[in-house]
Amino acid sequence: MTQLVPIRRALLSVSDKTGLAELGQALAARGVELVSTGGTAKALRDAGLTVKDVSDLTGFPEMMDGRVKTLHPMVHGGLLAVRDNAEHAAAMNEHGIGAIDLVVVNLYPFEATVVKGAERDEVIENIDIGGPSMVRSAAKNHAYVTIVTDAGDYAELLGQLDANDGATDLAFRKKLAARAFAATAAYDSAIGQWFAGVDQGEKFPPRISMTRVLAGSLRYGENPHQDAALYLPAGAHVQGLPQAEQVQGKELSYNNYNDANAALELVAEFRDQAPAVVIVKHANPCCVAQAGSLLDAWNGALQCDSVSAFGGIVAVNRPLDGPTAEAICQIFTEVVVAPGVDETARAVFAKKKNLRLLLTQGLPDPRRAGQTLALIAGGILVQDRDNGAINAADLKVVTQRAPTEQELKDCLFAWTVARHVKSNAIVYAKDGVTAGIGAGQMNRRDSSRIAAMKAAEAAQTYGWATPRTMGSAVASDAFFPFADGLLAAAEAGATAVIQPGGSIRDDEVIKAADDAGLAMVFTGMRHFRH
């Protein structure tokens, strides 16, 4: 392969005109002949540049509403010819095909057209054909042709020309060729997903491809010996942590992102409700509370499990105020996520230089549609997001005693938290505050006991006469397969139970609840979280 290839002729055809005039001027100043199409040619001429139309090159006018303009041997011959191949050179001479050394192309805005809700015909018209063809031809022949598909690469291109006396080197062309093929792959992926999902309504088409754009490398993965990076969806997507404003603190790690996302997803359940505070540790909620103010919610949440809260992630559903910020800063906190912050709170957090403060653009919709992915050896598992929800009207009372109004509120609160706790999940709650959380155990009885143990420890720490599990509601993310888990909750003082039901031993569990004087409701919906 040729190491240095001088740029003498460039073909420019871009949908996004960002930086186009400046690029054209820089190329023309270096003596590069400019060839272009339609709107790109007009933009370059408007910038005072001399431009040759592609139609002058091919001998054919643009036709069929611009669908056919660059699909011609005079273009693709100039892109694909192997310059030091005698047969290729002879064909170029015979047919008057001139070499094209540089191609600058970005594609029709297909995804933007879809996002704005365009009609089907307009979407179809924004499927680029000539652009990807030129990109692929130029990228394939990167030994001789430089391909640029992103305006962000213009500066590097001009730097190459300056460094190499008007030429590009092979390493640069190879790098841009890789980016070019990734760009066309992403483009075709977006089109394929639209046809299958939006146009044809296929949830799980025979073939899927998902495009992600590198946002940046992370310090390391879950552990220091693992490399990690953050990628963003190429198309429309929900606004989350990657789009948040980081006001202060060290860069986020892999674990920070994972844990903070768990906190954000849970606090979003309360986005239109009373002030709420969530504290997460290792992607599991350890403390959750609602109250009349963020400060009261913080104090209530922290008392659930102050040991686990140390070094945790905090998320709130309201803009942060100074008193709440002062309280949060009393313990070591890794990350705070909020939809806003007042100036007093901002000043308080500024004293904790390493604390990461993230301001989100509102809170995501917890009921939004979408899919989740999990990698397994040899494949990928794809499923719908767990956006199922229940309310009081959906509950079925299965015990002799129905829950009181307060018990029902506590049941629904505990159920909301439990859906975000790793299975097997047990959550005790009372008066809008978690009393104890048991997560990730291999059996439900142990989760019940661990949650009760945490509540007992909190009572001892704060000098309460009894743990907050006394008179609480308890939520189980899946049915009780035996009565032992429910009896453990009764021993801890729970008076109401919310669970999906559906076990072959439901009658046994219901009888145990009746014998213990518990009120129990079935949801008919489980929330496993592995």
Side-chain angles (χ1 to χ4, degrees):
M1 293 185 181
T2 304
Q3 180 57 237
L4 292 175
V5 175
I7 303 298
R8 299 189 177 94
R9 175 189 272 182
L11 195 161
L12 301 92
S13 181
V14 295
S15 173
D16 178 4
K17 305 297 191 296
T18 302
L20 173 65
E22 294 79 5
L23 176 65
Q25 289 164 350
L27 293 174
R30 290 167 172 81
V32 178
E33 179 186 13
L34 305 181
V35 180
S36 192
T37 62
T40 305
K42 181 181 184 301
L44 291 170
R45 290 191 180 106
D46 288 346
L49 297 168
T50 300
V51 183
K52 176 181 287 188
D53 287 317
V54 164
S55 57
D56 294 331
L57 209 65
T58 63
F60 278 85
E62 293 185 18
M63 62 182 72
M64 302 177 186
D65 298 319
R67 284 189 170 201
V68 179
K69 50 192 172 188
T70 60
L71 298 171
H72 193 280
M74 296 299 289
V75 173
H76 287 272
L79 295 176
L80 285 166
V82 177
R83 310 286 174 81
D84 52 6
N85 180 301
E87 291 184 6
H88 288 206
M92 293 177 75
N93 289 332
E94 180 181 354
H95 299 287
I97 298 173
I100 300 172
D101 310 303
L102 169 66
V103 175
V104 180
V105 168
N106 55 57
L107 309 176
Y108 292 172
F110 176 82
E111 288 176 302
T113 304
V114 171
V115 168
K116 75 176 185 180
E119 295 294 328
R120 188 177 191 276
D121 286 350
E122 184 179 352
V123 172
I124 296 299
E125 284 308 310
N126 275 277
I127 297 176
D128 203 330
I129 301 301
S133 298
M134 287 191 292
V135 169
R136 291 174 60 84
S137 291
K140 176 176 180 176
N141 204 26
H142 60 270
Y144 307 96
V145 182
T146 303
I147 173 64
V148 178
T149 55
D150 188 335
D153 293 327
Y154 291 173
E156 192 174 0
L157 168 66
L158 297 177
Q160 275 275 313
L161 299 182
D162 288 340
N164 297 306
D165 194 25
T168 60
D169 63 38
L170 179 59
F172 179 68
R173 295 194 301 276
K174 288 168 68 174
K175 178 171 67 175
L176 291 189
R179 293 178 184 176
F181 280 119
T184 57
Y187 194 74
D188 285 340
S189 172
I191 295 169
Q193 289 181 62
W194 178 83
F195 266 110
V198 178
D199 195 53
Q200 303 299 313
E202 290 185 280
K203 180 180 288 187
F204 302 113
R207 186 186 298 269
I208 60 171
S209 56
M210 289 160 284
T211 302
R212 300 292 185 265
V213 179
L214 180 66
S217 297
L218 304 178
R219 288 183 295 159
Y220 51 79
E222 283 186 282
N223 301 289
H225 63 274
Q226 295 171 264
D227 292 335
L230 172 67
Y231 282 81
L232 307 180
H237 54 275
V238 67
Q239 298 295 293
L241 295 174
Q243 292 76 34
E245 175 194 356
Q246 182 168 351
V247 176
Q248 64 173 65
K250 299 181 294 184
E251 65 177 292
L252 294 171
S253 70
Y254 180 99
N255 290 334
N256 290 153
Y257 271 113
N258 191 49
D259 294 347
N261 184 68
L264 178 64
E265 292 280 19
L266 174 48
V267 85
E269 298 276 2
F270 306 106
R271 68 177 187 165
D272 297 319
Q273 300 181 26
V277 171
V278 170
I279 308 176
V280 162
K281 192 70 169 290
H282 297 305
N284 262 314
C286 58
C287 312
V288 185
Q290 278 189 287
S293 70
L294 277 182
L295 180 58
D296 288 342
W298 166 261
N299 289 330
L302 183 63
Q303 290 172 343
C304 174
D305 188 356
S306 58
V307 174
S308 297
F310 183 84
I313 308 291
V314 176
V316 299
N317 69 341
R318 299 285 182 86
L320 278 159
D321 55 77
T324 307
E326 289 278 7
I328 292 172
C329 288
Q330 294 305 305
I331 69 168
F332 171 54
T333 301
E334 289 275 7
V335 181
V336 175
V337 182
V341 60
D342 69 20
E343 290 306 312
T344 304
R346 190 184 292 261
V348 170
F349 287 127
K351 299 174 185 177
K352 297 286 186 178
K353 300 297 184 183
N354 289 332
L355 182 148
R356 292 90 157 178
L357 176 59
L358 301 177
L359 303 183
T360 60
Q361 301 176 34
L363 298 175
D365 178 6
R367 304 283 85 82
R368 68 187 184 277
Q371 294 178 328
T372 63
L373 312 176
L375 298 179
I376 61 173
I380 299 176
L381 300 175
V382 181
Q383 67 171 349
D384 291 340
R385 287 188 71 255
D386 182 6
N387 58 6
I390 54 98
N391 56 43
D394 300 314
L395 301 178
K396 178 183 179 183
V397 178
V398 295
T399 48
Q400 295 172 8
R401 184 174 76 81
T404 66
E405 183 178 349
Q406 184 58 50
E407 285 176 330
L408 189 59
K409 289 180 180 178
D410 289 337
C411 279
L412 290 170
F413 178 82
W415 181 254
T416 298
V417 176
R419 62 183 290 143
H420 291 267
V421 177
K422 297 294 179 67
S423 301
N424 286 312
I426 293 290
V427 176
Y428 296 87
K430 184 178 181 180
D431 298 329
V433 179
T434 52
I437 298 175
Q441 298 306 302
M442 287 67 74
N443 68 74
R444 206 157 292 279
R445 183 201 63 184
D446 286 353
S447 288
S448 294
R449 290 175 172 174
I450 289 170
M453 179 187 73
K454 288 178 177 290
E457 184 177 276
Q460 184 177 14
T461 299
Y462 293 100
W464 301 331
T466 59
R468 287 196 299 204
T469 49
M470 297 299 296
S472 67
V474 63
S476 174
D477 64 338
F479 61 65
F480 286 102
F482 301 95
D484 56 357
L486 179 137
L487 292 174
E491 289 172 6
T495 59
V497 181
I498 183 170
Q499 60 134 322
S503 167
I504 61 172
R505 295 183 178 85
D506 274 350
D507 289 343
E508 175 186 325
V509 175
I510 292 170
K511 182 179 184 304
D514 282 332
D515 291 345
L518 303 178
M520 185 161 64
V521 294
F522 282 1
T523 66
M525 178 184 293
R526 81 176 189 195
H527 288 295
F528 270 155
R529 193 175 189 88
H530 288 96

